[in-house]
Amino acid sequence: MRNLSEARLTSIWRIIVCVAGGLLSLVQMASAQPLTDSDTEQVRRGEYLARAGNCMGCHTTRGGEPYAGGRKLNTPFGQFVTPNITPDKETGIGSWSGEDFWQALHYGKSKDGRNLYPAFPYTEYTKVTRPDADAIFAYLRSLPPIAQTNPPHKINPPYDNQALLYLWRKWYFNEGVYQPDKSKSDEWNRGNYLVQGLGHCNACHTPRNVWGASQDDQLTGGKIMGSYWYAPSLISPLEAGVSEWPVEDIVELLSTGINSHAVTSGSMATIVRQSLQYLSDYDIRSIAVYLQSLGEKKGDAKAPRKARKMPEQVRQYLALGQEVYEKHCQDCHGQSGEGIPKIYPPLAGNRNVTMSPPLNTIRNVLYGGYPPATAGNPRPHGMPPYQHFIRDTEIAQVVSYIRNAWGNRGSLVSPEDVDNSRGSEF
């Protein structure tokens, strides 16, 4: 009987504990502060802004969890690893405040006050407004926390010295939120803000000095640090300047990755796929309006020199390239390099083909590629890689040919140029 009474008491006690736990949960649920409409709107706005800045593109490694970091960025100064920015308290930014996040974005300083390396583009993000920074932080705080410890940076000496980084910031970092130009339209200013600030286009489309600092903020083009792609000038009509394009054509290229004039490839195709295609009609048009306002007209640019009479050796070299073109390229790009609009890009008159350096054209032949799959171009036509079945000599010949056929004028390409264009894919 005693054992039976003890068993009953134990059961009753368990029931009491369960009921008490349930009541406690109900009390906690009742006392929790639900998200207000204002909070929800801020999170939604932050998600949009994070997409506009392509934050996930850097803070997500291939096959990894979104925003958990771990992506390796190779530079001449060492290898940087992007951090976890999910709200995990141990490995992410779960213990950060809005002020901490603003300090990183605007001042380039970590939560502990340590100077951040400009592999994180705070040199551009400093232009982002405080309300936009707060919205992005609210969105990141709304994400599921992911416990992921990423490996440390591998910075080459002496660049791992914080004293040198302090001097670098003194010389090359100008902190300050974007100030609108009152002489310009709201649309132009919005485009300028997105391009120069949140979109950090200058991080790629600018030449850099030996210390890795942007030499200007005019989008004059440059080799993308740590990659084997060239980000063309957005000013020069001989590269990727669009001052003479209709705004609608610029919008189409940025939002779909392709139009009747051009197609995006390499790093830019990734930006279109991950970020630009999701921007609002107003924002993408604002970017187009701003880009259209930059640079020179074709008539202002230095006219290309007339082609000299080719030496016989050069003529023979290009003739060999023509044979490769007719065998492998002509079916898609046409006998006269005319292409098929919005399917296969034209090569005749194509600035991407003729610009210096010829890096992007060589890599497109080596590795092939597709325009980005976007809502406006969901089934893009692509080009296969050719490095597996034609030699570097033939690639050099065919690239030289298309850079000098149908009125194109470009430098010749050597097999050494082809070999030097190889590198890690994104």
Side-chain angles (χ1 to χ4, degrees):
M1 293 292 292
R2 181 177 179 179
N3 291 340
L4 182 59
S5 297
E6 288 179 353
R8 286 177 178 174
L9 287 172
T10 300
S11 298
I12 292 170
W13 177 247
R14 287 176 178 170
I15 291 171
I16 291 172
V17 169
C18 290
V19 170
L23 289 172
L24 179 60
S25 298
L26 289 173
V27 170
Q28 290 173 336
M29 290 173 62
S31 63
Q33 295 295 321
L35 287 177
T36 65
D37 291 343
S38 177
D39 293 334
T40 302
E41 178 56 33
Q42 188 181 40
V43 168
R44 188 181 297 115
R45 182 163 158 267
E47 180 180 14
Y48 174 82
L49 293 169
R51 177 84 78 171
N54 194 31
C55 304
M56 187 167 66
C58 278
H59 289 276
T60 307
T61 191
R62 184 171 295 179
E65 295 288 345
Y67 295 102
R71 182 177 175 185
K72 296 178 175 63
L73 306 176
N74 295 311
T75 76
F77 310 101
Q79 185 183 79
F80 295 88
V81 182
T82 57
N84 181 346
I85 56 173
T86 71
D88 181 70
K89 289 188 176 182
E90 299 299 325
T91 64
I93 59 171
S95 63
W96 284 39
S97 66
E99 189 64 32
D100 294 331
F101 188 74
W102 171 248
Q103 179 173 270
L105 218 63
H106 187 69
Y107 297 104
K109 289 181 176 290
S110 188
K111 183 178 184 292
D112 58 7
R114 175 175 42 87
N115 289 330
L116 297 173
Y117 282 88
F120 172 60
Y122 58 82
T123 46
E124 284 74 38
Y125 285 162
T126 187
K127 297 180 176 68
V128 173
T129 65
R130 182 62 188 264
D132 281 357
D134 287 344
I136 294 171
F137 182 65
Y139 167 63
L140 295 176
R141 294 280 295 178
S142 75
L143 297 173
I146 298 169
Q148 178 174 304
T149 302
N150 295 310
H153 303 318
K154 295 179 181 178
I155 306 173
N156 303 329
Y159 308 115
D160 55 349
N161 189 320
Q162 280 276 315
L164 284 181
L165 181 57
Y166 173 82
L167 292 175
W168 188 96
R169 289 166 58 91
K170 283 290 185 184
W171 291 331
Y172 301 119
F173 175 47
N174 296 312
E175 167 264 319
V177 170
Y178 173 74
Q179 298 299 321
D181 184 340
K182 295 182 180 179
S183 69
K184 303 292 187 180
S185 68
D186 290 344
E187 198 172 41
W188 185 94
N189 274 291
R190 177 63 175 173
N192 191 355
Y193 172 71
L194 290 170
V195 168
Q196 297 287 355
L198 198 59
H200 60 287
C201 303
N202 214 50
C204 290
H205 291 273
T206 185
R208 293 182 179 269
N209 63 20
V210 294
W211 299 106
S214 298
Q215 296 189 50
D216 59 54
D217 60 354
Q218 303 302 312
L219 304 170
T220 52
K223 187 174 180 294
I224 302 174
M225 185 175 291
S227 86
Y228 290 78
W229 290 98
Y230 174 75
S233 167
L234 301 181
I235 294 175
S236 171
L238 301 179
E239 294 194 12
V242 291
S243 60
E244 295 190 333
W245 283 18
V247 167
E248 291 72 20
D249 288 357
I250 307 172
V251 167
E252 184 179 20
L253 181 65
L254 294 178
S255 58
T256 70
I258 192 169
N259 65 15
S260 57
H261 308 289
V263 59
T264 59
S265 62
S267 305
M268 190 62 199
T270 303
I271 298 298
V272 171
R273 177 175 58 83
Q274 294 180 340
S275 175
L276 294 179
Q277 69 162 317
Y278 297 102
L279 296 189
S280 68
D281 292 344
Y282 179 79
D283 277 354
I284 203 73
R285 181 178 174 84
S286 295
I287 292 174
V289 167
Y290 173 68
L291 292 178
Q292 189 194 51
S293 74
L294 301 179
E296 306 166 325
K297 304 292 184 183
K298 281 185 180 178
D300 300 329
K302 187 183 293 185
R305 297 175 181 175
K306 291 184 179 180
R308 298 176 181 176
K309 186 175 180 180
M310 292 183 184
E312 183 59 28
Q313 186 178 6
V314 174
R315 294 172 67 87
Q316 291 177 4
Y317 189 72
L318 296 182
L320 293 172
Q322 182 176 5
E323 292 178 9
V324 178
Y325 179 85
E326 291 172 350
K327 181 177 180 181
H328 296 291
C329 316
Q330 185 169 290
D331 286 349
C332 293
H333 293 285
Q335 184 176 1
S336 301
E338 70 275 14
I340 300 175
K342 300 186 182 181
I343 299 178
Y344 302 118
L347 301 179
N350 188 323
R351 295 175 292 174
N352 186 59
V353 167
T354 57
M355 70 181 179
S356 180
L359 185 60
N360 295 354
T361 303
I362 295 172
R363 286 181 65 80
N364 282 328
V365 176
L366 282 170
Y367 299 107
Y370 282 78
T374 58
N377 187 33
R379 297 181 183 85
H381 295 265
M383 186 172 81
Y386 283 91
Q387 65 169 336
H388 302 296
F389 52 92
I390 63 175
R391 297 168 298 169
D392 284 4
T393 300
E394 295 172 301
I395 291 175
Q397 290 165 349
V398 72
V399 172
S400 297
Y401 170 71
I402 65 175
R403 284 169 61 82
N404 290 279
W406 322 299
N408 289 345
R409 293 292 179 267
S411 60
L412 299 181
V413 173
S414 70
E416 290 74 24
D417 292 328
V418 174
D419 187 53
N420 291 336
S421 298
R422 287 186 168 87
S424 299
E425 286 291 287
F426 274 65

